[in-house]
Amino acid sequence: MYFDSPELPREKVFRDPIHDHIHVQHQLILDLINTKEFQRLRRIKQTGTSLFIFHGAEHTRFGHSLGVYETARRICDQFQRNYPSQSPDDGLWDDRNRLLVLCAALLHDIGHGPYSHAFEKIFNTNHEAISIQIITSPETEVNRVLASVHPDFPAAVASVIEKTYPNPQVVQLISSQIDADRMDYLIRDAYYTGVNYGRFDLARILRVMRPHRGGIAFHFSGMHAVEDYILSRYQMYMQVYFHPVSRGVEAILSHLLERASYNYGHFEHPLKHSATLLVPFFEKNWTLSDYLRLDDGVLTTYFLHWLDEDDPVLSDLARRFLHRKPFKSVAYHNETDQARVDRMIHLVEAMGYNPDYYTSLNSSYDLPYDFYRPHQKTKRTQIELVESDGTLTELAQASQIVNAIAGKTWGDHRLYFPHELLKDQPDDLFKEIHQEFLALYQELRQLQITPE
Ligand code: ZN
């Protein structure tokens, strides 16, 4: 089944630093952007705690969502111009999928909340499941706008995001190892963080992309542009997304939310200032509309209130977060260093800190690219290069650079602890314990950490 919706008499544009213009050609897209659930994305930052390191990273999920829409729209245009389907099953592009692709691209992150990563861990929410709920639940404006096209349209958009939609071209445009989502966030996050990696030739990639029977492929002549994209992704994860200090701020944020939630369950008067909008989450009994009331500003306001709460742990963690006192960290090898790490956590406790809130273990790993492995649990769609005679070659078979990193995960395990423990302290009450802690820290620093 195909869905259609009238075009605007004259297209509308949004100015965008990445794509220059975001072109809106359907009233439906404009109506979706104007829903309250989508406007909420203006109040949720795209990269969470990264802005404590890269202060430019103030950009929001709103801009990214528009960017993914625009990237998908350009791909549809290019496919329709160069590879229009002539007969069913010819493996070319059927432009009757366009509206579905555009809506899925625009709404793919609609379920994100404030500081998704930390929030999800503590309150057991899931932005992907919430995206589907926002799209399919009759109580949202997004759902009403989508259903105005056809009663089955919301479910179709949801199935693209869930990757169950039967046409692989449509699904791979929105989620695969090289999709409209990843291409937009890599370039956008590089731009706003101000780093010099993460850039690649988007115009060239969009130009060499083409549909084929099993999904999306890239013309062989575009191999170097695709290589560059893979390397950009690898560098952005290593340098920005997995930045040890950003993870040190996130560790505090997680513990702060965890402590507030703990206090709510354990004390009769847990908070001087009531955190009304978080109560349903403390009580583990929240609805979609509770979730949609949260944003970065709500959390920041509560953190400001918590600065002068009676619980010293809560107020101290709020201070560390708001005044940017990230936990320090040291990388360790998961198997061989476990005894040292356990000992260090024990020493932190012996120095008077509650280790549940003042230490944290964080593992951040990314797989920049992998080819299809039939026996693995997560099945990846590999990147295919297509030659003029139509033969397909998997990217790592053709590119030695990609081959060198294919199938390897990169990242590290880190132990986090309060920053002051790396400083000499006058009148150190715990001098011996502190010395032992510092000695273990130095030992770990000197051991070679190799990627696993
Ligand atoms: Zn996204």
Side-chain angles (χ1 to χ4, degrees):
M1 173 165 201
Y2 298 98
F3 303 95
D4 202 7
S5 175
E7 290 204 3
L8 288 161
R10 203 166 152 260
E11 73 170 19
K12 293 246 185 323
V13 292
F14 290 76
R15 283 312 292 258
D16 181 70
I18 306 305
H19 303 294
D20 193 14
H21 287 101
I22 310 277
H23 301 260
V24 175
Q25 294 155 335
H26 299 83
Q27 182 64 45
L28 180 78
I29 297 295
L30 206 55
D31 291 346
L32 286 172
I33 293 171
N34 287 330
T35 58
K36 63 180 180 192
E37 294 89 15
F38 195 85
Q39 288 295 318
R40 171 189 140 272
L41 298 176
R42 289 184 188 270
R43 304 191 300 272
I44 293 169
K45 294 202 179 67
Q46 170 75 7
T47 48
T49 56
S50 291
L51 68 88
F52 283 95
I53 289 81
F54 305 98
H55 67 254
E58 293 275 351
H59 58 306
T60 65
R61 300 263 177 210
F62 181 88
H64 163 63
S65 299
L66 289 185
V68 178
Y69 155 83
E70 176 62 16
T71 307
R73 193 195 64 78
R74 287 183 193 179
I75 297 170
C76 291
D77 275 0
Q78 196 268 114
F79 282 4
Q80 176 59 12
R81 225 171 27 244
N82 298 313
Y83 309 102
S85 173
Q86 310 294 342
S87 60
D89 300 327
D90 61 5
L92 297 174
W93 176 247
D94 185 339
D95 207 45
R96 289 176 297 177
N97 289 308
R98 178 185 288 256
L99 196 70
L100 184 60
V101 167
L102 297 182
C103 292
L106 187 71
L107 300 174
H108 78 287
D109 275 344
I110 189 79
H112 266 292
Y115 301 107
S116 283
H117 202 207
F119 194 90
E120 291 188 357
K121 202 171 75 186
I122 306 304
F123 296 113
N124 215 5
T125 56
N126 175 322
H127 69 267
E128 279 153 21
I130 295 169
S131 293
I132 301 304
Q133 227 186 321
I134 293 172
I135 291 167
T136 55
S137 156
E139 67 184 90
T140 66
E141 292 184 10
V142 162
N143 176 270
R144 270 171 263 155
V145 172
L146 292 172
S148 71
V149 173
H150 187 280
D152 294 338
F153 191 49
V157 174
S159 74
V160 175
I161 295 172
E162 287 179 304
K163 299 200 235 185
T164 53
Y165 188 73
N167 182 334
Q169 293 171 353
V170 171
V171 172
Q172 288 175 28
L173 275 181
I174 309 301
S175 52
S176 60
Q177 297 198 79
I178 180 163
D179 57 32
D181 178 26
R182 291 181 181 197
M183 288 194 272
D184 182 81
Y185 77 65
L186 290 175
I187 303 184
R188 188 170 298 275
D189 296 346
Y191 174 87
Y192 281 99
T193 51
V195 299
N196 243 316
Y197 15 74
R199 293 170 196 189
F200 55 89
D201 193 347
L202 177 67
R204 176 87 184 132
I205 290 191
L206 297 189
R207 165 118 205 100
V208 297
M209 231 175 167
R210 53 159 302 170
H212 75 93
R213 201 164 266 106
I216 305 291
F218 298 83
H219 200 271
F220 214 96
S221 64
M223 182 179 83
H224 296 296
V226 178
E227 260 175 4
D228 203 24
Y229 156 87
I230 301 282
L231 292 182
S232 295
R233 177 189 159 90
Y234 162 73
Q235 289 163 337
M236 282 299 282
Y237 273 84
M238 293 304 109
Q239 296 290 327
V240 176
Y241 304 132
F242 294 167
H243 195 291
V245 183
S246 165
R247 286 152 65 194
V249 179
E250 195 171 292
I252 294 174
L253 176 66
S254 296
H255 285 334
L256 178 58
L257 292 169
E258 202 177 355
R259 183 67 182 183
S261 181
Y262 173 87
N263 288 0
Y264 194 87
H266 289 79
F267 300 127
E268 203 182 330
H269 301 292
L271 298 166
K272 281 199 278 191
H273 315 270
S274 84
T276 319
L277 298 181
L278 282 176
V279 166
F281 298 89
F282 293 155
E283 292 181 343
K284 299 182 178 60
N285 185 19
W286 53 274
T287 62
L288 183 58
S289 80
D290 294 327
Y291 184 86
L292 291 169
R293 292 172 77 187
L294 301 178
D295 60 29
D296 290 354
V298 169
L299 291 196
T300 308
T301 304
Y302 292 147
F303 298 163
L304 283 160
H305 285 168
W306 296 347
L307 279 176
D308 65 342
E309 284 294 340
D310 293 334
D311 171 27
V313 174
L314 188 67
S315 59
D316 178 59
L317 291 171
R319 178 187 61 83
R320 287 176 195 259
F321 181 77
L322 290 169
H323 303 172
R324 193 194 180 279
K325 305 285 178 240
F327 284 169
K328 293 279 183 190
S329 68
V330 65
Y332 65 93
H333 194 281
N334 205 16
E335 281 129 38
T336 52
D337 297 329
Q338 201 57 55
R340 282 190 186 86
V341 168
D342 290 346
R343 180 73 188 155
M344 285 173 81
I345 294 173
H346 175 77
L347 295 172
V348 173
E349 186 172 14
M351 286 184 274
Y353 296 91
N354 181 341
D356 294 345
Y357 299 105
Y358 287 94
T359 63
S360 181
L361 298 178
N362 178 288
S363 304
S364 295
Y365 279 86
D366 179 54
L367 179 70
Y369 175 68
D370 203 5
F371 38 84
Y372 178 69
R373 295 172 198 260
H375 303 298
Q376 251 171 19
K377 256 198 272 158
T378 3
K379 303 256 181 295
R380 284 181 181 77
T381 321
Q382 57 190 21
I383 299 181
E384 306 278 7
L385 300 174
V386 52
E387 305 203 46
S388 340
D389 66 357
T391 20
L392 294 176
T393 310
E394 184 275 317
L395 176 65
Q397 301 298 310
S399 159
Q400 291 202 27
I401 293 178
V402 172
N403 194 36
I405 61 169
K408 294 193 184 78
T409 55
W410 304 80
D412 60 10
H413 302 283
R414 281 182 176 268
L415 165 67
Y416 282 87
F417 49 83
H419 69 99
E420 63 272 20
L421 294 185
L422 290 187
K423 286 189 200 134
D424 279 335
Q425 288 162 27
D427 308 325
D428 197 341
L429 281 176
F430 305 100
K431 205 167 183 91
E432 267 175 40
I433 304 171
H434 194 191
Q435 289 306 325
E436 188 188 346
F437 178 87
L438 288 172
L440 285 165
Y441 170 79
Q442 288 304 342
E443 273 177 48
L444 285 179
R445 294 249 312 171
Q446 275 148 23
L447 293 168
Q448 187 69 34
I449 306 296
T450 46
E452 282 166 26

PDB file of all heavy atoms in Angstrom, residues 351-375:
ATOM      1  N   MET A 351      37.735   5.999  52.229  1.00  0.00           N
ATOM      2  CA  MET A 351      37.976   7.440  52.416  1.00  0.00           C
ATOM      3  C   MET A 351      36.687   8.203  52.697  1.00  0.00           C
ATOM      4  O   MET A 351      36.673   9.434  52.710  1.00  0.00           O
ATOM      5  CB  MET A 351      38.701   8.013  51.190  1.00  0.00           C
ATOM      6  CG  MET A 351      40.182   7.594  51.143  1.00  0.00           C
ATOM      7  SD  MET A 351      41.101   8.358  49.773  1.00  0.00           S
ATOM      8  CE  MET A 351      40.779   7.228  48.439  1.00  0.00           C
ATOM      9  N   GLY A 352      35.595   7.489  52.898  1.00  0.00           N
ATOM     10  CA  GLY A 352      34.368   8.137  53.358  1.00  0.00           C
ATOM     11  C   GLY A 352      33.325   8.416  52.286  1.00  0.00           C
ATOM     12  O   GLY A 352      32.326   9.081  52.553  1.00  0.00           O
ATOM     13  N   TYR A 353      33.544   7.935  51.077  1.00  0.00           N
ATOM     14  CA  TYR A 353      32.549   8.147  50.011  1.00  0.00           C
ATOM     15  C   TYR A 353      31.661   6.915  49.868  1.00  0.00           C
ATOM     16  O   TYR A 353      32.154   5.789  49.998  1.00  0.00           O
ATOM     17  CB  TYR A 353      33.256   8.364  48.667  1.00  0.00           C
ATOM     18  CG  TYR A 353      34.113   9.597  48.575  1.00  0.00           C
ATOM     19  CD1 TYR A 353      35.465   9.552  48.902  1.00  0.00           C
ATOM     20  CD2 TYR A 353      33.572  10.805  48.128  1.00  0.00           C
ATOM     21  CE1 TYR A 353      36.266  10.684  48.795  1.00  0.00           C
ATOM     22  CE2 TYR A 353      34.363  11.935  48.019  1.00  0.00           C
ATOM     23  CZ  TYR A 353      35.704  11.878  48.356  1.00  0.00           C
ATOM     24  OH  TYR A 353      36.484  12.991  48.243  1.00  0.00           O
ATOM     25  N   ASN A 354      30.403   7.139  49.577  1.00  0.00           N
ATOM     26  CA  ASN A 354      29.520   6.024  49.262  1.00  0.00           C
ATOM     27  C   ASN A 354      29.819   5.583  47.829  1.00  0.00           C
ATOM     28  O   ASN A 354      29.551   6.319  46.887  1.00  0.00           O
ATOM     29  CB  ASN A 354      28.056   6.483  49.388  1.00  0.00           C
ATOM     30  CG  ASN A 354      27.077   5.347  49.091  1.00  0.00           C
ATOM     31  OD1 ASN A 354      27.441   4.354  48.464  1.00  0.00           O
ATOM     32  ND2 ASN A 354      25.841   5.515  49.544  1.00  0.00           N
ATOM     33  N   PRO A 355      30.387   4.379  47.647  1.00  0.00           N
ATOM     34  CA  PRO A 355      30.838   3.996  46.300  1.00  0.00           C
ATOM     35  C   PRO A 355      29.690   3.863  45.289  1.00  0.00           C
ATOM     36  O   PRO A 355      29.908   3.982  44.092  1.00  0.00           O
ATOM     37  CB  PRO A 355      31.533   2.642  46.520  1.00  0.00           C
ATOM     38  CG  PRO A 355      31.007   2.136  47.813  1.00  0.00           C
ATOM     39  CD  PRO A 355      30.634   3.327  48.640  1.00  0.00           C
ATOM     40  N   ASP A 356      28.467   3.653  45.799  1.00  0.00           N
ATOM     41  CA  ASP A 356      27.329   3.566  44.864  1.00  0.00           C
ATOM     42  C   ASP A 356      27.135   4.875  44.107  1.00  0.00           C
ATOM     43  O   ASP A 356      26.627   4.886  42.992  1.00  0.00           O
ATOM     44  CB  ASP A 356      26.020   3.266  45.618  1.00  0.00           C
ATOM     45  CG  ASP A 356      26.045   1.885  46.256  1.00  0.00           C
ATOM     46  OD1 ASP A 356      26.918   1.085  45.879  1.00  0.00           O
ATOM     47  OD2 ASP A 356      25.186   1.627  47.136  1.00  0.00           O
ATOM     48  N   TYR A 357      27.506   5.997  44.755  1.00  0.00           N
ATOM     49  CA  TYR A 357      27.285   7.305  44.120  1.00  0.00           C
ATOM     50  C   TYR A 357      28.574   8.015  43.751  1.00  0.00           C
ATOM     51  O   TYR A 357      28.545   9.013  43.043  1.00  0.00           O
ATOM     52  CB  TYR A 357      26.455   8.201  45.049  1.00  0.00           C
ATOM     53  CG  TYR A 357      25.097   7.597  45.338  1.00  0.00           C
ATOM     54  CD1 TYR A 357      24.816   7.008  46.563  1.00  0.00           C
ATOM     55  CD2 TYR A 357      24.127   7.583  44.344  1.00  0.00           C
ATOM     56  CE1 TYR A 357      23.584   6.419  46.803  1.00  0.00           C
ATOM     57  CE2 TYR A 357      22.891   6.996  44.566  1.00  0.00           C
ATOM     58  CZ  TYR A 357      22.626   6.413  45.806  1.00  0.00           C
ATOM     59  OH  TYR A 357      21.414   5.830  46.019  1.00  0.00           O
ATOM     60  N   TYR A 358      29.711   7.510  44.236  1.00  0.00           N
ATOM     61  CA  TYR A 358      30.975   8.218  43.976  1.00  0.00           C
ATOM     62  C   TYR A 358      31.983   7.404  43.172  1.00  0.00           C
ATOM     63  O   TYR A 358      33.116   7.843  42.994  1.00  0.00           O
ATOM     64  CB  TYR A 358      31.578   8.721  45.287  1.00  0.00           C
ATOM     65  CG  TYR A 358      30.791   9.902  45.821  1.00  0.00           C
ATOM     66  CD1 TYR A 358      29.764   9.734  46.734  1.00  0.00           C
ATOM     67  CD2 TYR A 358      31.062  11.196  45.344  1.00  0.00           C
ATOM     68  CE1 TYR A 358      29.017  10.817  47.181  1.00  0.00           C
ATOM     69  CE2 TYR A 358      30.327  12.282  45.787  1.00  0.00           C
ATOM     70  CZ  TYR A 358      29.308  12.084  46.709  1.00  0.00           C
ATOM     71  OH  TYR A 358      28.578  13.166  47.138  1.00  0.00           O
ATOM     72  N   THR A 359      31.568   6.231  42.697  1.00  0.00           N
ATOM     73  CA  THR A 359      32.393   5.545  41.704  1.00  0.00           C
ATOM     74  C   THR A 359      31.450   5.074  40.604  1.00  0.00           C
ATOM     75  O   THR A 359      30.236   4.987  40.814  1.00  0.00           O
ATOM     76  CB  THR A 359      33.112   4.296  42.270  1.00  0.00           C
ATOM     77  OG1 THR A 359      32.133   3.354  42.683  1.00  0.00           O
ATOM     78  CG2 THR A 359      34.040   4.650  43.417  1.00  0.00           C
ATOM     79  N   SER A 360      32.028   4.796  39.455  1.00  0.00           N
ATOM     80  CA  SER A 360      31.211   4.330  38.356  1.00  0.00           C
ATOM     81  C   SER A 360      32.099   3.578  37.380  1.00  0.00           C
ATOM     82  O   SER A 360      33.249   3.965  37.160  1.00  0.00           O
ATOM     83  CB  SER A 360      30.577   5.553  37.683  1.00  0.00           C
ATOM     84  OG  SER A 360      29.760   5.158  36.629  1.00  0.00           O
ATOM     85  N   LEU A 361      31.587   2.479  36.835  1.00  0.00           N
ATOM     86  CA  LEU A 361      32.321   1.762  35.786  1.00  0.00           C
ATOM     87  C   LEU A 361      31.602   2.045  34.481  1.00  0.00           C
ATOM     88  O   LEU A 361      30.383   1.923  34.408  1.00  0.00           O
ATOM     89  CB  LEU A 361      32.335   0.254  36.065  1.00  0.00           C
ATOM     90  CG  LEU A 361      33.018  -0.180  37.363  1.00  0.00           C
ATOM     91  CD1 LEU A 361      32.910  -1.684  37.542  1.00  0.00           C
ATOM     92  CD2 LEU A 361      34.486   0.258  37.364  1.00  0.00           C
ATOM     93  N   ASN A 362      32.351   2.467  33.492  1.00  0.00           N
ATOM     94  CA  ASN A 362      31.720   2.786  32.216  1.00  0.00           C
ATOM     95  C   ASN A 362      32.470   2.099  31.083  1.00  0.00           C
ATOM     96  O   ASN A 362      33.684   2.198  30.984  1.00  0.00           O
ATOM     97  CB  ASN A 362      31.713   4.304  32.008  1.00  0.00           C
ATOM     98  CG  ASN A 362      31.119   4.694  30.671  1.00  0.00           C
ATOM     99  OD1 ASN A 362      31.733   4.484  29.631  1.00  0.00           O
ATOM    100  ND2 ASN A 362      29.917   5.248  30.691  1.00  0.00           N
ATOM    101  N   SER A 363      31.742   1.367  30.264  1.00  0.00           N
ATOM    102  CA  SER A 363      32.341   0.749  29.076  1.00  0.00           C
ATOM    103  C   SER A 363      31.690   1.357  27.861  1.00  0.00           C
ATOM    104  O   SER A 363      30.472   1.322  27.733  1.00  0.00           O
ATOM    105  CB  SER A 363      32.065  -0.750  29.051  1.00  0.00           C
ATOM    106  OG  SER A 363      32.542  -1.321  30.242  1.00  0.00           O
ATOM    107  N   SER A 364      32.492   1.953  26.987  1.00  0.00           N
ATOM    108  CA  SER A 364      31.938   2.516  25.762  1.00  0.00           C
ATOM    109  C   SER A 364      32.664   1.910  24.578  1.00  0.00           C
ATOM    110  O   SER A 364      33.874   2.058  24.438  1.00  0.00           O
ATOM    111  CB  SER A 364      32.111   4.039  25.752  1.00  0.00           C
ATOM    112  OG  SER A 364      31.340   4.595  26.789  1.00  0.00           O
ATOM    113  N   TYR A 365      31.920   1.183  23.782  1.00  0.00           N
ATOM    114  CA  TYR A 365      32.499   0.525  22.611  1.00  0.00           C
ATOM    115  C   TYR A 365      31.658   0.796  21.380  1.00  0.00           C
ATOM    116  O   TYR A 365      30.442   0.882  21.461  1.00  0.00           O
ATOM    117  CB  TYR A 365      32.600  -0.990  22.846  1.00  0.00           C
ATOM    118  CG  TYR A 365      33.821  -1.327  23.667  1.00  0.00           C
ATOM    119  CD1 TYR A 365      33.773  -1.292  25.055  1.00  0.00           C
ATOM    120  CD2 TYR A 365      35.022  -1.597  23.050  1.00  0.00           C
ATOM    121  CE1 TYR A 365      34.900  -1.550  25.809  1.00  0.00           C
ATOM    122  CE2 TYR A 365      36.158  -1.853  23.799  1.00  0.00           C
ATOM    123  CZ  TYR A 365      36.101  -1.827  25.167  1.00  0.00           C
ATOM    124  OH  TYR A 365      37.214  -2.064  25.899  1.00  0.00           O
ATOM    125  N   ASP A 366      32.329   0.933  20.253  1.00  0.00           N
ATOM    126  CA  ASP A 366      31.610   1.106  18.993  1.00  0.00           C
ATOM    127  C   ASP A 366      32.229   0.199  17.941  1.00  0.00           C
ATOM    128  O   ASP A 366      33.425  -0.072  17.952  1.00  0.00           O
ATOM    129  CB  ASP A 366      31.698   2.557  18.520  1.00  0.00           C
ATOM    130  CG  ASP A 366      30.972   2.750  17.187  1.00  0.00           C
ATOM    131  OD1 ASP A 366      29.778   2.381  17.123  1.00  0.00           O
ATOM    132  OD2 ASP A 366      31.589   3.223  16.226  1.00  0.00           O
ATOM    133  N   LEU A 367      31.374  -0.250  17.042  1.00  0.00           N
ATOM    134  CA  LEU A 367      31.812  -1.044  15.899  1.00  0.00           C
ATOM    135  C   LEU A 367      31.636  -0.144  14.674  1.00  0.00           C
ATOM    136  O   LEU A 367      30.511   0.051  14.222  1.00  0.00           O
ATOM    137  CB  LEU A 367      30.910  -2.287  15.801  1.00  0.00           C
ATOM    138  CG  LEU A 367      31.156  -3.263  14.668  1.00  0.00           C
ATOM    139  CD1 LEU A 367      32.459  -4.018  14.867  1.00  0.00           C
ATOM    140  CD2 LEU A 367      30.004  -4.256  14.591  1.00  0.00           C
ATOM    141  N   PRO A 368      32.719   0.460  14.152  1.00  0.00           N
ATOM    142  CA  PRO A 368      32.549   1.432  13.067  1.00  0.00           C
ATOM    143  C   PRO A 368      31.944   0.821  11.804  1.00  0.00           C
ATOM    144  O   PRO A 368      31.178   1.447  11.105  1.00  0.00           O
ATOM    145  CB  PRO A 368      33.971   1.915  12.779  1.00  0.00           C
ATOM    146  CG  PRO A 368      34.789   1.531  13.953  1.00  0.00           C
ATOM    147  CD  PRO A 368      34.125   0.340  14.578  1.00  0.00           C
ATOM    148  N   TYR A 369      32.293  -0.439  11.522  1.00  0.00           N
ATOM    149  CA  TYR A 369      31.727  -1.075  10.336  1.00  0.00           C
ATOM    150  C   TYR A 369      31.883  -2.580  10.449  1.00  0.00           C
ATOM    151  O   TYR A 369      32.894  -3.069  10.948  1.00  0.00           O
ATOM    152  CB  TYR A 369      32.425  -0.604   9.053  1.00  0.00           C
ATOM    153  CG  TYR A 369      31.932  -1.355   7.835  1.00  0.00           C
ATOM    154  CD1 TYR A 369      30.624  -1.174   7.387  1.00  0.00           C
ATOM    155  CD2 TYR A 369      32.733  -2.286   7.176  1.00  0.00           C
ATOM    156  CE1 TYR A 369      30.138  -1.894   6.306  1.00  0.00           C
ATOM    157  CE2 TYR A 369      32.253  -3.004   6.090  1.00  0.00           C
ATOM    158  CZ  TYR A 369      30.960  -2.806   5.660  1.00  0.00           C
ATOM    159  OH  TYR A 369      30.470  -3.525   4.599  1.00  0.00           O
ATOM    160  N   ASP A 370      30.912  -3.315   9.990  1.00  0.00           N
ATOM    161  CA  ASP A 370      31.082  -4.753   9.881  1.00  0.00           C
ATOM    162  C   ASP A 370      30.320  -5.256   8.669  1.00  0.00           C
ATOM    163  O   ASP A 370      29.312  -4.685   8.270  1.00  0.00           O
ATOM    164  CB  ASP A 370      30.585  -5.467  11.147  1.00  0.00           C
ATOM    165  CG  ASP A 370      31.247  -6.842  11.293  1.00  0.00           C
ATOM    166  OD1 ASP A 370      32.136  -7.165  10.471  1.00  0.00           O
ATOM    167  OD2 ASP A 370      30.890  -7.576  12.223  1.00  0.00           O
ATOM    168  N   PHE A 371      30.834  -6.339   8.104  1.00  0.00           N
ATOM    169  CA  PHE A 371      30.107  -6.973   7.004  1.00  0.00           C
ATOM    170  C   PHE A 371      29.132  -7.985   7.601  1.00  0.00           C
ATOM    171  O   PHE A 371      29.164  -8.266   8.797  1.00  0.00           O
ATOM    172  CB  PHE A 371      31.073  -7.631   5.998  1.00  0.00           C
ATOM    173  CG  PHE A 371      32.250  -8.294   6.633  1.00  0.00           C
ATOM    174  CD1 PHE A 371      32.154  -9.581   7.130  1.00  0.00           C
ATOM    175  CD2 PHE A 371      33.455  -7.596   6.760  1.00  0.00           C
ATOM    176  CE1 PHE A 371      33.236 -10.178   7.731  1.00  0.00           C
ATOM    177  CE2 PHE A 371      34.549  -8.205   7.369  1.00  0.00           C
ATOM    178  CZ  PHE A 371      34.441  -9.495   7.860  1.00  0.00           C
ATOM    179  N   TYR A 372      28.295  -8.511   6.756  1.00  0.00           N
ATOM    180  CA  TYR A 372      27.222  -9.399   7.202  1.00  0.00           C
ATOM    181  C   TYR A 372      27.792 -10.708   7.743  1.00  0.00           C
ATOM    182  O   TYR A 372      28.594 -11.362   7.082  1.00  0.00           O
ATOM    183  CB  TYR A 372      26.299  -9.668   6.012  1.00  0.00           C
ATOM    184  CG  TYR A 372      25.170 -10.601   6.319  1.00  0.00           C
ATOM    185  CD1 TYR A 372      24.134 -10.204   7.167  1.00  0.00           C
ATOM    186  CD2 TYR A 372      25.130 -11.872   5.767  1.00  0.00           C
ATOM    187  CE1 TYR A 372      23.092 -11.055   7.454  1.00  0.00           C
ATOM    188  CE2 TYR A 372      24.079 -12.742   6.051  1.00  0.00           C
ATOM    189  CZ  TYR A 372      23.073 -12.329   6.898  1.00  0.00           C
ATOM    190  OH  TYR A 372      22.035 -13.177   7.181  1.00  0.00           O
ATOM    191  N   ARG A 373      27.405 -11.068   8.944  1.00  0.00           N
ATOM    192  CA  ARG A 373      27.838 -12.363   9.494  1.00  0.00           C
ATOM    193  C   ARG A 373      26.581 -13.125   9.884  1.00  0.00           C
ATOM    194  O   ARG A 373      25.925 -12.780  10.858  1.00  0.00           O
ATOM    195  CB  ARG A 373      28.701 -12.140  10.740  1.00  0.00           C
ATOM    196  CG  ARG A 373      30.012 -11.428  10.435  1.00  0.00           C
ATOM    197  CD  ARG A 373      30.725 -11.075  11.739  1.00  0.00           C
ATOM    198  NE  ARG A 373      31.727 -10.053  11.500  1.00  0.00           N
ATOM    199  CZ  ARG A 373      33.036 -10.317  11.370  1.00  0.00           C
ATOM    200  NH1 ARG A 373      33.477 -11.534  11.459  1.00  0.00           N
ATOM    201  NH2 ARG A 373      33.877  -9.332  11.153  1.00  0.00           N
ATOM    202  N   PRO A 374      26.267 -14.169   9.112  1.00  0.00           N
ATOM    203  CA  PRO A 374      24.969 -14.845   9.298  1.00  0.00           C
ATOM    204  C   PRO A 374      24.758 -15.420  10.696  1.00  0.00           C
ATOM    205  O   PRO A 374      23.630 -15.548  11.144  1.00  0.00           O
ATOM    206  CB  PRO A 374      24.978 -15.955   8.244  1.00  0.00           C
ATOM    207  CG  PRO A 374      26.345 -15.979   7.659  1.00  0.00           C
ATOM    208  CD  PRO A 374      27.047 -14.729   8.010  1.00  0.00           C
ATOM    209  N   HIS A 375      25.843 -15.772  11.405  1.00  0.00           N
ATOM    210  CA  HIS A 375      25.633 -16.442  12.692  1.00  0.00           C
ATOM    211  C   HIS A 375      25.549 -15.482  13.874  1.00  0.00           C
ATOM    212  O   HIS A 375      25.315 -15.902  14.991  1.00  0.00           O
ATOM    213  CB  HIS A 375      26.717 -17.486  12.920  1.00  0.00           C
ATOM    214  CG  HIS A 375      26.745 -18.487  11.807  1.00  0.00           C
ATOM    215  ND1 HIS A 375      25.670 -19.307  11.532  1.00  0.00           N
ATOM    216  CD2 HIS A 375      27.663 -18.728  10.847  1.00  0.00           C
ATOM    217  CE1 HIS A 375      25.947 -20.050  10.475  1.00  0.00           C
ATOM    218  NE2 HIS A 375      27.149 -19.706  10.025  1.00  0.00           N
TER     219      HIS A 375
END
